[in-house]
Amino acid sequence: MSAPVPPCAVSPAEAGQRLDQVLGRLVPSLGLRGRRRLCGEGRVLVNGRPGRAAYRLRPGDVLSLAGPRPSGEAGTGVPPLRIPGQAPIPMLGQTEHLAALDKPAGLHSEALAGKAGDSLQARVETAFPGAGLRLLNRLDYATSGLVALALDAEGVHLWRQAQDQGLTEKRYLALLEGELPGERLMRQGLSLKGRHRVRVEAADNADFRRHTLLRPLAALDARELADSLEAAEGRVWRRGAPHRITLAACRIVRGSRHQIRAHAAAAGFPLWGDRRYGAAWLCGKEPREGAESAGLNAEDECFYLHHGRLSLPGWTVWSAPRWLELLDEAARAAALGWLLG
């Protein structure tokens, strides 16, 4: 298996040039036609997202490749996740035993119990029937980002071993209500409160794998951000207090259900738009008359949480959220710095 191609940042001198031109820094062995083919296959990532060959680069953009090095050597044989009639889902950071899918927001990781429907797991089974590929972590319906995929039994073993030994690191980006004044390490234990909500306990959990680090990266104007997201996504926001939003770095080791959402709310800074955990700003569908937050369907939820970096011993993969392009240059640079470590 060939070594992965390390990411590189666009210099000020390269700003304004086309992606397929500057891509020669990553793959000097390929000519222009080969570089354009990589872009067309969705394997060239700009800030963690597939980039078009004609995209005009900006200073600080980070370029990387999805999948194995294009050197003619044999890879693992697992192509990008492509199903007719659906947007392709990039397969990132592929190794002999593991890969990562970049799940979009608005897609279940796996089918809900007793219900048939679209999910990342269903798409994997459709694209690779009988291959036995297995999702190793789960993300909420509204959460985007990296979902690890075991390509074989050894991949499952490597994942479990790293999880048990506390050797995984999962970095997220989140938009939080209010202006987080400084770094917080949330140690409190979590327990299920009914089927839909997690309760934060008064006592700390001694297991460091269940702790959540929250770190402010940038303070943003809530109304300006809501206007930008409405224009980009078509969602209608119901405005409320507070007027400032924090772009936050979040880090967990193993994680549990709603861990970041519950810990952020317990710190007094719920995810922006996460009405299940007490956010003042709401977006998307109006709540059903008389409905309690605990009874919300996942499809009604709207917040901004992205799993952007996953590290195991000998393997690291990253992606940036689509909404990062809507932030100002300083916030965007801080977020990319966090994801690239």
Side-chain angles (χ1 to χ4, degrees), residues 252-301:
I252 60 178
V253 174
R254 184 163 189 166
S256 57
R257 184 181 184 188
H258 294 185
Q259 177 174 324
I260 294 176
R261 297 170 65 183
H263 272 158
F269 302 89
L271 266 65
W272 191 45
D274 189 0
R275 61 177 178 251
R276 189 183 298 261
Y277 288 93
W281 286 69
L282 305 180
C283 74
K285 299 177 182 178
E286 297 286 334
R288 298 185 302 277
E289 177 124 9
E292 298 293 332
S293 63
L296 290 172
N297 294 320
E299 291 81 359
D300 295 330
E301 295 180 332

mmCIF file of all heavy atoms in Angstrom, residues 252-301:
data_model
loop_
_atom_site.group_PDB
_atom_site.id
_atom_site.type_symbol
_atom_site.label_atom_id
_atom_site.label_comp_id
_atom_site.label_asym_id
_atom_site.label_seq_id
_atom_site.Cartn_x
_atom_site.Cartn_y
_atom_site.Cartn_z
ATOM 1 N N ILE A 252 -13.020 14.680 21.987
ATOM 2 C CA ILE A 252 -13.397 13.544 22.801
ATOM 3 C C ILE A 252 -12.474 12.382 22.446
ATOM 4 O O ILE A 252 -11.777 12.426 21.426
ATOM 5 C CB ILE A 252 -14.876 13.140 22.615
ATOM 6 C CG1 ILE A 252 -15.157 12.756 21.157
ATOM 7 C CG2 ILE A 252 -15.804 14.263 23.059
ATOM 8 C CD1 ILE A 252 -16.586 12.290 20.904
ATOM 9 N N VAL A 253 -12.466 11.363 23.280
ATOM 10 C CA VAL A 253 -11.617 10.196 23.043
ATOM 11 C C VAL A 253 -12.452 9.031 22.543
ATOM 12 O O VAL A 253 -12.241 8.514 21.458
ATOM 13 C CB VAL A 253 -10.838 9.813 24.315
ATOM 14 C CG1 VAL A 253 -10.062 8.511 24.120
ATOM 15 C CG2 VAL A 253 -9.891 10.942 24.708
ATOM 16 N N ARG A 254 -13.409 8.626 23.344
ATOM 17 C CA ARG A 254 -14.265 7.514 22.925
ATOM 18 C C ARG A 254 -15.654 8.020 22.574
ATOM 19 O O ARG A 254 -16.158 7.770 21.498
ATOM 20 C CB ARG A 254 -14.341 6.458 24.022
ATOM 21 C CG ARG A 254 -15.137 5.236 23.600
ATOM 22 C CD ARG A 254 -14.871 4.067 24.499
ATOM 23 N NE ARG A 254 -15.460 2.839 23.968
ATOM 24 C CZ ARG A 254 -15.178 1.631 24.393
ATOM 25 N NH1 ARG A 254 -14.301 1.474 25.381
ATOM 26 N NH2 ARG A 254 -15.747 0.574 23.850
ATOM 27 N N GLY A 255 -16.261 8.732 23.475
ATOM 28 C CA GLY A 255 -17.554 9.341 23.185
ATOM 29 C C GLY A 255 -18.720 8.433 23.508
ATOM 30 O O GLY A 255 -18.602 7.208 23.553
ATOM 31 N N SER A 256 -19.848 9.060 23.738
ATOM 32 C CA SER A 256 -21.100 8.351 23.965
ATOM 33 C C SER A 256 -22.226 9.189 23.387
ATOM 34 O O SER A 256 -22.009 10.305 22.903
ATOM 35 C CB SER A 256 -21.321 8.105 25.466
ATOM 36 O OG SER A 256 -21.307 9.328 26.184
ATOM 37 N N ARG A 257 -23.425 8.685 23.438
ATOM 38 C CA ARG A 257 -24.561 9.332 22.789
ATOM 39 C C ARG A 257 -24.729 10.776 23.267
ATOM 40 O O ARG A 257 -24.788 11.040 24.457
ATOM 41 C CB ARG A 257 -25.828 8.530 23.079
ATOM 42 C CG ARG A 257 -27.048 9.064 22.355
ATOM 43 C CD ARG A 257 -28.280 8.266 22.688
ATOM 44 N NE ARG A 257 -29.419 8.714 21.921
ATOM 45 C CZ ARG A 257 -30.663 8.284 22.117
ATOM 46 N NH1 ARG A 257 -30.912 7.392 23.066
ATOM 47 N NH2 ARG A 257 -31.644 8.740 21.369
ATOM 48 N N HIS A 258 -24.800 11.696 22.318
ATOM 49 C CA HIS A 258 -25.056 13.121 22.565
ATOM 50 C C HIS A 258 -24.028 13.735 23.516
ATOM 51 O O HIS A 258 -24.311 14.746 24.162
ATOM 52 C CB HIS A 258 -26.463 13.331 23.145
ATOM 53 C CG HIS A 258 -27.566 12.999 22.215
ATOM 54 N ND1 HIS A 258 -28.897 13.227 22.529
ATOM 55 C CD2 HIS A 258 -27.572 12.431 20.978
ATOM 56 C CE1 HIS A 258 -29.662 12.808 21.537
ATOM 57 N NE2 HIS A 258 -28.879 12.317 20.586
ATOM 58 N N GLN A 259 -22.826 13.174 23.591
ATOM 59 C CA GLN A 259 -21.872 13.634 24.597
ATOM 60 C C GLN A 259 -21.533 15.114 24.444
ATOM 61 O O GLN A 259 -21.606 15.877 25.413
ATOM 62 C CB GLN A 259 -20.580 12.803 24.526
ATOM 63 C CG GLN A 259 -19.506 13.261 25.502
ATOM 64 C CD GLN A 259 -18.303 12.356 25.515
ATOM 65 O OE1 GLN A 259 -18.438 11.148 25.377
ATOM 66 N NE2 GLN A 259 -17.119 12.923 25.675
ATOM 67 N N ILE A 260 -21.145 15.534 23.246
ATOM 68 C CA ILE A 260 -20.778 16.940 23.053
ATOM 69 C C ILE A 260 -21.997 17.836 23.240
ATOM 70 O O ILE A 260 -21.911 18.898 23.875
ATOM 71 C CB ILE A 260 -20.146 17.133 21.668
ATOM 72 C CG1 ILE A 260 -18.806 16.390 21.592
ATOM 73 C CG2 ILE A 260 -19.955 18.616 21.355
ATOM 74 C CD1 ILE A 260 -18.147 16.438 20.226
ATOM 75 N N ARG A 261 -23.138 17.427 22.724
ATOM 76 C CA ARG A 261 -24.351 18.239 22.852
ATOM 77 C C ARG A 261 -24.714 18.452 24.314
ATOM 78 O O ARG A 261 -25.033 19.583 24.741
ATOM 79 C CB ARG A 261 -25.500 17.566 22.105
ATOM 80 C CG ARG A 261 -25.285 17.441 20.618
ATOM 81 C CD ARG A 261 -26.313 16.558 19.943
ATOM 82 N NE ARG A 261 -27.647 17.130 20.010
ATOM 83 C CZ ARG A 261 -28.741 16.530 19.545
ATOM 84 N NH1 ARG A 261 -28.648 15.327 18.991
ATOM 85 N NH2 ARG A 261 -29.924 17.116 19.633
ATOM 86 N N ALA A 262 -24.695 17.390 25.093
ATOM 87 C CA ALA A 262 -25.096 17.489 26.496
ATOM 88 C C ALA A 262 -24.063 18.253 27.312
ATOM 89 O O ALA A 262 -24.414 19.103 28.151
ATOM 90 C CB ALA A 262 -25.304 16.088 27.073
ATOM 91 N N HIS A 263 -22.784 17.998 27.101
ATOM 92 C CA HIS A 263 -21.749 18.698 27.859
ATOM 93 C C HIS A 263 -21.716 20.186 27.508
ATOM 94 O O HIS A 263 -21.493 21.036 28.381
ATOM 95 C CB HIS A 263 -20.393 18.051 27.599
ATOM 96 C CG HIS A 263 -20.080 16.927 28.530
ATOM 97 N ND1 HIS A 263 -19.155 15.938 28.230
ATOM 98 C CD2 HIS A 263 -20.541 16.621 29.772
ATOM 99 C CE1 HIS A 263 -19.067 15.084 29.240
ATOM 100 N NE2 HIS A 263 -19.914 15.472 30.188
ATOM 101 N N ALA A 264 -21.897 20.520 26.234
ATOM 102 C CA ALA A 264 -21.907 21.931 25.857
ATOM 103 C C ALA A 264 -23.071 22.663 26.524
ATOM 104 O O ALA A 264 -22.910 23.784 27.021
ATOM 105 C CB ALA A 264 -21.990 22.067 24.337
ATOM 106 N N ALA A 265 -24.243 22.037 26.557
ATOM 107 C CA ALA A 265 -25.397 22.649 27.210
ATOM 108 C C ALA A 265 -25.155 22.797 28.703
ATOM 109 O O ALA A 265 -25.517 23.809 29.315
ATOM 110 C CB ALA A 265 -26.642 21.814 26.945
ATOM 111 N N ALA A 266 -24.532 21.789 29.330
ATOM 112 C CA ALA A 266 -24.252 21.861 30.759
ATOM 113 C C ALA A 266 -23.261 22.974 31.078
ATOM 114 O O ALA A 266 -23.299 23.561 32.171
ATOM 115 C CB ALA A 266 -23.712 20.521 31.251
ATOM 116 N N ALA A 267 -22.385 23.292 30.133
ATOM 117 C CA ALA A 267 -21.438 24.391 30.322
ATOM 118 C C ALA A 267 -22.103 25.745 30.149
ATOM 119 O O ALA A 267 -21.488 26.785 30.425
ATOM 120 C CB ALA A 267 -20.280 24.253 29.339
ATOM 121 N N GLY A 268 -23.366 25.767 29.697
ATOM 122 C CA GLY A 268 -24.088 27.011 29.474
ATOM 123 C C GLY A 268 -24.020 27.518 28.050
ATOM 124 O O GLY A 268 -24.453 28.641 27.771
ATOM 125 N N PHE A 269 -23.515 26.679 27.123
ATOM 126 C CA PHE A 269 -23.342 27.078 25.730
ATOM 127 C C PHE A 269 -23.833 25.962 24.815
ATOM 128 O O PHE A 269 -23.037 25.257 24.187
ATOM 129 C CB PHE A 269 -21.874 27.402 25.443
ATOM 130 C CG PHE A 269 -21.315 28.487 26.313
ATOM 131 C CD1 PHE A 269 -20.737 28.170 27.536
ATOM 132 C CD2 PHE A 269 -21.400 29.817 25.940
ATOM 133 C CE1 PHE A 269 -20.237 29.165 28.362
ATOM 134 C CE2 PHE A 269 -20.908 30.817 26.761
ATOM 135 C CZ PHE A 269 -20.316 30.496 27.986
ATOM 136 N N PRO A 270 -25.161 25.773 24.732
ATOM 137 C CA PRO A 270 -25.675 24.683 23.879
ATOM 138 C C PRO A 270 -25.331 24.906 22.416
ATOM 139 O O PRO A 270 -25.036 26.030 21.990
ATOM 140 C CB PRO A 270 -27.184 24.748 24.103
ATOM 141 C CG PRO A 270 -27.444 26.164 24.520
ATOM 142 C CD PRO A 270 -26.243 26.577 25.319
ATOM 143 N N LEU A 271 -25.345 23.821 21.651
ATOM 144 C CA LEU A 271 -25.146 23.960 20.220
ATOM 145 C C LEU A 271 -26.202 24.894 19.649
ATOM 146 O O LEU A 271 -27.381 24.802 19.983
ATOM 147 C CB LEU A 271 -25.236 22.595 19.529
ATOM 148 C CG LEU A 271 -23.915 21.860 19.317
ATOM 149 C CD1 LEU A 271 -23.288 21.474 20.642
ATOM 150 C CD2 LEU A 271 -24.119 20.635 18.453
ATOM 151 N N TRP A 272 -25.763 25.791 18.786
ATOM 152 C CA TRP A 272 -26.657 26.781 18.184
ATOM 153 C C TRP A 272 -27.739 26.058 17.388
ATOM 154 O O TRP A 272 -27.444 25.316 16.450
ATOM 155 C CB TRP A 272 -25.824 27.684 17.284
ATOM 156 C CG TRP A 272 -26.518 28.907 16.780
ATOM 157 C CD1 TRP A 272 -27.293 29.760 17.482
ATOM 158 C CD2 TRP A 272 -26.436 29.425 15.448
ATOM 159 N NE1 TRP A 272 -27.708 30.786 16.675
ATOM 160 C CE2 TRP A 272 -27.198 30.609 15.428
ATOM 161 C CE3 TRP A 272 -25.800 29.005 14.288
ATOM 162 C CZ2 TRP A 272 -27.345 31.377 14.284
ATOM 163 C CZ3 TRP A 272 -25.934 29.777 13.151
ATOM 164 C CH2 TRP A 272 -26.700 30.942 13.146
ATOM 165 N N GLY A 273 -28.996 26.246 17.793
ATOM 166 C CA GLY A 273 -30.116 25.615 17.116
ATOM 167 C C GLY A 273 -30.563 24.298 17.730
ATOM 168 O O GLY A 273 -31.583 23.740 17.306
ATOM 169 N N ASP A 274 -29.849 23.782 18.723
ATOM 170 C CA ASP A 274 -30.154 22.468 19.304
ATOM 171 C C ASP A 274 -31.221 22.612 20.385
ATOM 172 O O ASP A 274 -30.932 22.656 21.576
ATOM 173 C CB ASP A 274 -28.881 21.847 19.886
ATOM 174 C CG ASP A 274 -29.074 20.402 20.310
ATOM 175 O OD1 ASP A 274 -30.196 19.885 20.159
ATOM 176 O OD2 ASP A 274 -28.096 19.799 20.800
ATOM 177 N N ARG A 275 -32.493 22.663 19.964
ATOM 178 C CA ARG A 275 -33.557 22.898 20.932
ATOM 179 C C ARG A 275 -33.773 21.714 21.867
ATOM 180 O O ARG A 275 -34.369 21.868 22.927
ATOM 181 C CB ARG A 275 -34.858 23.254 20.222
ATOM 182 C CG ARG A 275 -35.421 22.208 19.273
ATOM 183 C CD ARG A 275 -36.756 22.727 18.734
ATOM 184 N NE ARG A 275 -37.361 21.819 17.776
ATOM 185 C CZ ARG A 275 -37.446 22.054 16.468
ATOM 186 N NH1 ARG A 275 -36.913 23.155 15.974
ATOM 187 N NH2 ARG A 275 -38.061 21.212 15.661
ATOM 188 N N ARG A 276 -33.275 20.536 21.513
ATOM 189 C CA ARG A 276 -33.383 19.402 22.428
ATOM 190 C C ARG A 276 -32.626 19.687 23.726
ATOM 191 O O ARG A 276 -32.989 19.194 24.797
ATOM 192 C CB ARG A 276 -32.835 18.140 21.770
ATOM 193 C CG ARG A 276 -33.096 16.860 22.551
ATOM 194 C CD ARG A 276 -32.463 15.678 21.854
ATOM 195 N NE ARG A 276 -33.021 15.444 20.527
ATOM 196 C CZ ARG A 276 -33.958 14.523 20.251
ATOM 197 N NH1 ARG A 276 -34.455 13.783 21.217
ATOM 198 N NH2 ARG A 276 -34.393 14.373 19.015
ATOM 199 N N TYR A 277 -31.567 20.483 23.643
ATOM 200 C CA TYR A 277 -30.756 20.792 24.818
ATOM 201 C C TYR A 277 -30.791 22.277 25.183
ATOM 202 O O TYR A 277 -29.861 22.790 25.800
ATOM 203 C CB TYR A 277 -29.322 20.308 24.597
ATOM 204 C CG TYR A 277 -29.221 18.809 24.656
ATOM 205 C CD1 TYR A 277 -29.303 18.047 23.494
ATOM 206 C CD2 TYR A 277 -29.114 18.141 25.869
ATOM 207 C CE1 TYR A 277 -29.250 16.657 23.542
ATOM 208 C CE2 TYR A 277 -29.059 16.761 25.935
ATOM 209 C CZ TYR A 277 -29.134 16.018 24.767
ATOM 210 O OH TYR A 277 -29.091 14.645 24.839
ATOM 211 N N GLY A 278 -31.867 22.960 24.786
ATOM 212 C CA GLY A 278 -32.138 24.277 25.337
ATOM 213 C C GLY A 278 -31.676 25.475 24.550
ATOM 214 O O GLY A 278 -31.595 26.578 25.094
ATOM 215 N N ALA A 279 -31.370 25.329 23.262
ATOM 216 C CA ALA A 279 -30.934 26.476 22.472
ATOM 217 C C ALA A 279 -32.071 27.480 22.297
ATOM 218 O O ALA A 279 -33.241 27.104 22.185
ATOM 219 C CB ALA A 279 -30.431 26.022 21.110
ATOM 220 N N ALA A 280 -31.716 28.759 22.258
ATOM 221 C CA ALA A 280 -32.713 29.815 22.067
ATOM 222 C C ALA A 280 -33.004 30.059 20.589
ATOM 223 O O ALA A 280 -34.103 30.481 20.238
ATOM 224 C CB ALA A 280 -32.233 31.114 22.729
ATOM 225 N N TRP A 281 -32.025 29.834 19.728
ATOM 226 C CA TRP A 281 -32.216 30.007 18.296
ATOM 227 C C TRP A 281 -32.712 28.696 17.691
ATOM 228 O O TRP A 281 -32.185 27.626 18.002
ATOM 229 C CB TRP A 281 -30.899 30.388 17.620
ATOM 230 C CG TRP A 281 -30.452 31.785 17.867
ATOM 231 C CD1 TRP A 281 -30.009 32.316 19.036
ATOM 232 C CD2 TRP A 281 -30.354 32.827 16.898
ATOM 233 N NE1 TRP A 281 -29.652 33.623 18.877
ATOM 234 C CE2 TRP A 281 -29.859 33.965 17.560
ATOM 235 C CE3 TRP A 281 -30.636 32.921 15.537
ATOM 236 C CZ2 TRP A 281 -29.620 35.177 16.918
ATOM 237 C CZ3 TRP A 281 -30.405 34.124 14.888
ATOM 238 C CH2 TRP A 281 -29.918 35.238 15.568
ATOM 239 N N LEU A 282 -33.698 28.768 16.818
ATOM 240 C CA LEU A 282 -34.242 27.583 16.162
ATOM 241 C C LEU A 282 -34.198 27.774 14.656
ATOM 242 O O LEU A 282 -34.309 28.883 14.149
ATOM 243 C CB LEU A 282 -35.682 27.327 16.600
ATOM 244 C CG LEU A 282 -35.947 27.212 18.110
ATOM 245 C CD1 LEU A 282 -37.428 26.962 18.356
ATOM 246 C CD2 LEU A 282 -35.117 26.094 18.717
ATOM 247 N N CYS A 283 -34.047 26.679 13.924
ATOM 248 C CA CYS A 283 -34.068 26.769 12.482
ATOM 249 C C CYS A 283 -34.822 25.581 11.918
ATOM 250 O O CYS A 283 -35.146 24.633 12.628
ATOM 251 C CB CYS A 283 -32.661 26.794 11.899
ATOM 252 S SG CYS A 283 -31.807 25.210 11.929
ATOM 253 N N GLY A 284 -35.113 25.656 10.627
ATOM 254 C CA GLY A 284 -35.813 24.551 9.985
ATOM 255 C C GLY A 284 -37.287 24.569 10.312
ATOM 256 O O GLY A 284 -37.928 25.616 10.392
ATOM 257 N N LYS A 285 -37.851 23.377 10.557
ATOM 258 C CA LYS A 285 -39.285 23.245 10.790
ATOM 259 C C LYS A 285 -39.678 23.843 12.130
ATOM 260 O O LYS A 285 -38.937 23.807 13.095
ATOM 261 C CB LYS A 285 -39.680 21.768 10.768
ATOM 262 C CG LYS A 285 -39.402 21.064 9.451
ATOM 263 C CD LYS A 285 -39.762 19.595 9.546
ATOM 264 C CE LYS A 285 -39.449 18.881 8.243
ATOM 265 N NZ LYS A 285 -39.743 17.425 8.327
ATOM 266 N N GLU A 286 -40.890 24.369 12.181
ATOM 267 C CA GLU A 286 -41.430 24.844 13.444
ATOM 268 C C GLU A 286 -41.752 23.644 14.334
ATOM 269 O O GLU A 286 -42.182 22.606 13.848
ATOM 270 C CB GLU A 286 -42.719 25.652 13.206
ATOM 271 C CG GLU A 286 -42.498 26.916 12.398
ATOM 272 C CD GLU A 286 -41.815 27.993 13.214
ATOM 273 O OE1 GLU A 286 -41.950 27.976 14.451
ATOM 274 O OE2 GLU A 286 -41.131 28.832 12.612
ATOM 275 N N PRO A 287 -41.540 23.773 15.650
ATOM 276 C CA PRO A 287 -41.912 22.674 16.539
ATOM 277 C C PRO A 287 -43.407 22.380 16.448
ATOM 278 O O PRO A 287 -44.223 23.284 16.262
ATOM 279 C CB PRO A 287 -41.536 23.195 17.929
ATOM 280 C CG PRO A 287 -40.590 24.332 17.687
ATOM 281 C CD PRO A 287 -40.973 24.913 16.365
ATOM 282 N N ARG A 288 -43.757 21.122 16.554
ATOM 283 C CA ARG A 288 -45.169 20.757 16.560
ATOM 284 C C ARG A 288 -45.862 21.354 17.782
ATOM 285 O O ARG A 288 -45.269 21.455 18.842
ATOM 286 C CB ARG A 288 -45.323 19.227 16.573
ATOM 287 C CG ARG A 288 -44.743 18.565 15.347
ATOM 288 C CD ARG A 288 -45.020 17.066 15.356
ATOM 289 N NE ARG A 288 -44.486 16.431 16.549
ATOM 290 C CZ ARG A 288 -43.212 16.050 16.680
ATOM 291 N NH1 ARG A 288 -42.365 16.272 15.691
ATOM 292 N NH2 ARG A 288 -42.786 15.473 17.771
ATOM 293 N N GLU A 289 -47.108 21.760 17.617
ATOM 294 C CA GLU A 289 -47.847 22.386 18.716
ATOM 295 C C GLU A 289 -47.902 21.457 19.916
ATOM 296 O O GLU A 289 -48.314 20.312 19.826
ATOM 297 C CB GLU A 289 -49.277 22.703 18.262
ATOM 298 C CG GLU A 289 -50.065 23.275 19.368
ATOM 299 C CD GLU A 289 -50.660 24.617 19.011
ATOM 300 O OE1 GLU A 289 -50.606 25.037 17.859
ATOM 301 O OE2 GLU A 289 -51.146 25.201 19.922
ATOM 302 N N GLY A 290 -47.434 21.957 21.067
ATOM 303 C CA GLY A 290 -47.491 21.170 22.287
ATOM 304 C C GLY A 290 -46.405 20.127 22.411
ATOM 305 O O GLY A 290 -46.361 19.386 23.392
ATOM 306 N N ALA A 291 -45.509 20.042 21.437
ATOM 307 C CA ALA A 291 -44.480 19.002 21.489
ATOM 308 C C ALA A 291 -43.391 19.406 22.472
ATOM 309 O O ALA A 291 -42.960 20.552 22.521
ATOM 310 C CB ALA A 291 -43.866 18.794 20.104
ATOM 311 N N GLU A 292 -42.937 18.463 23.275
ATOM 312 C CA GLU A 292 -41.825 18.682 24.177
ATOM 313 C C GLU A 292 -40.520 18.401 23.448
ATOM 314 O O GLU A 292 -40.463 17.628 22.495
ATOM 315 C CB GLU A 292 -41.947 17.759 25.399
ATOM 316 C CG GLU A 292 -43.206 17.996 26.231
ATOM 317 C CD GLU A 292 -43.185 19.353 26.904
ATOM 318 O OE1 GLU A 292 -42.093 19.859 27.184
ATOM 319 O OE2 GLU A 292 -44.278 19.899 27.139
ATOM 320 N N SER A 293 -39.439 19.028 23.922
ATOM 321 C CA SER A 293 -38.157 18.835 23.252
ATOM 322 C C SER A 293 -37.737 17.378 23.253
ATOM 323 O O SER A 293 -37.098 16.904 22.326
ATOM 324 C CB SER A 293 -37.080 19.693 23.923
ATOM 325 O OG SER A 293 -36.889 19.302 25.270
ATOM 326 N N ALA A 294 -38.115 16.639 24.312
ATOM 327 C CA ALA A 294 -37.708 15.234 24.391
ATOM 328 C C ALA A 294 -38.380 14.389 23.332
ATOM 329 O O ALA A 294 -37.945 13.289 23.032
ATOM 330 C CB ALA A 294 -38.016 14.678 25.778
ATOM 331 N N GLY A 295 -39.494 14.893 22.763
ATOM 332 C CA GLY A 295 -40.220 14.114 21.777
ATOM 333 C C GLY A 295 -39.894 14.479 20.343
ATOM 334 O O GLY A 295 -40.574 14.031 19.430
ATOM 335 N N LEU A 296 -38.874 15.299 20.124
ATOM 336 C CA LEU A 296 -38.519 15.715 18.772
ATOM 337 C C LEU A 296 -38.023 14.539 17.951
ATOM 338 O O LEU A 296 -37.338 13.650 18.445
ATOM 339 C CB LEU A 296 -37.411 16.769 18.823
ATOM 340 C CG LEU A 296 -37.775 18.157 19.362
ATOM 341 C CD1 LEU A 296 -36.509 18.964 19.514
ATOM 342 C CD2 LEU A 296 -38.737 18.852 18.430
ATOM 343 N N ASN A 297 -38.367 14.542 16.672
ATOM 344 C CA ASN A 297 -37.775 13.597 15.747
ATOM 345 C C ASN A 297 -36.399 14.115 15.331
ATOM 346 O O ASN A 297 -36.168 15.324 15.247
ATOM 347 C CB ASN A 297 -38.650 13.431 14.504
ATOM 348 C CG ASN A 297 -39.981 12.776 14.825
ATOM 349 O OD1 ASN A 297 -40.045 11.846 15.632
ATOM 350 N ND2 ASN A 297 -41.037 13.265 14.207
ATOM 351 N N ALA A 298 -35.490 13.200 15.014
ATOM 352 C CA ALA A 298 -34.159 13.612 14.579
ATOM 353 C C ALA A 298 -34.245 14.487 13.335
ATOM 354 O O ALA A 298 -33.458 15.419 13.168
ATOM 355 C CB ALA A 298 -33.302 12.380 14.313
ATOM 356 N N GLU A 299 -35.211 14.200 12.453
ATOM 357 C CA GLU A 299 -35.341 14.961 11.207
ATOM 358 C C GLU A 299 -35.761 16.407 11.454
ATOM 359 O O GLU A 299 -35.655 17.238 10.550
ATOM 360 C CB GLU A 299 -36.344 14.274 10.278
ATOM 361 C CG GLU A 299 -35.869 12.944 9.715
ATOM 362 C CD GLU A 299 -36.032 11.785 10.672
ATOM 363 O OE1 GLU A 299 -36.496 12.009 11.806
ATOM 364 O OE2 GLU A 299 -35.693 10.638 10.301
ATOM 365 N N ASP A 300 -36.254 16.718 12.656
ATOM 366 C CA ASP A 300 -36.636 18.093 12.981
ATOM 367 C C ASP A 300 -35.456 18.910 13.505
ATOM 368 O O ASP A 300 -35.568 20.123 13.674
ATOM 369 C CB ASP A 300 -37.736 18.101 14.054
ATOM 370 C CG ASP A 300 -39.037 17.480 13.565
ATOM 371 O OD1 ASP A 300 -39.306 17.571 12.352
ATOM 372 O OD2 ASP A 300 -39.764 16.892 14.383
ATOM 373 N N GLU A 301 -34.346 18.243 13.799
ATOM 374 C CA GLU A 301 -33.234 18.913 14.462
ATOM 375 C C GLU A 301 -32.337 19.641 13.468
ATOM 376 O O GLU A 301 -32.157 19.213 12.332
ATOM 377 C CB GLU A 301 -32.401 17.894 15.254
ATOM 378 C CG GLU A 301 -33.174 17.281 16.399
ATOM 379 C CD GLU A 301 -32.345 16.273 17.183
ATOM 380 O OE1 GLU A 301 -31.430 15.670 16.593
ATOM 381 O OE2 GLU A 301 -32.626 16.103 18.373
#
